[in-house]
Amino acid sequence: MSNFEKVREARMSELRNTKIFEVVMYNTEVRAAVEFDEHHPRYDDGWADPRYIELPARDIRGAIRKIRSKYPRVRGFKIMAITEIPEFTHEDLVMR
């Protein structure tokens, strides 16, 4: 087996073990600014309301790590919910 095939197989294995999570979050600093008819210097006013973000991860801990690396708590980002999105295959739809 070539190095390319080994890397490809490792990547395929990683993809098979990956799930999709939906994270619902907003920014507390933006929400406070909007309540006083002001604007946050860094983030748009849309962050005052919940946003739905989908991301791949192996498990919920991995999803939290990923979302926190991009949207840190110290910058006002608050997670409201994290839900694993179930996978649907063609067979699942046919059986219903």
Side-chain angles (χ1 to χ4, degrees):
M1 182 179 281
S2 71
N3 283 342
F4 174 77
E5 290 171 323
K6 289 177 186 177
V7 169
R8 183 175 173 266
E9 182 58 35
R11 182 68 181 139
M12 292 301 293
S13 176
E14 181 181 326
L15 288 174
R16 281 191 293 271
N17 293 325
T18 300
K19 301 172 184 172
I20 303 296
F21 291 87
E22 180 182 70
V23 181
V24 184
M25 62 188 320
Y26 68 94
N27 188 287
T28 58
E29 296 173 4
V30 174
R31 187 172 279 188
V34 168
E35 286 177 6
F36 289 103
D37 288 329
E38 297 176 358
H39 301 287
H40 192 277
R42 180 177 284 175
Y43 305 114
D44 67 76
D45 291 351
W47 276 106
D49 299 318
R51 291 201 177 179
Y52 296 80
I53 301 167
E54 291 183 8
L55 65 126
R58 295 183 120 193
D59 54 27
I60 195 159
R61 287 178 188 220
I64 292 169
R65 272 194 304 278
K66 281 186 176 185
I67 205 74
R68 283 290 177 215
S69 71
K70 188 169 183 179
Y71 303 103
R73 180 180 290 136
V74 296
R75 292 208 174 142
F77 292 99
K78 180 169 176 80
I79 296 173
M80 298 173 65
I82 300 178
T83 308
E84 182 181 338
I85 299 174
E87 262 188 64
F88 290 103
T89 62
H90 178 71
E91 290 80 20
D92 291 336
L93 296 174
V94 170
M95 296 178 82
R96 291 180 181 199

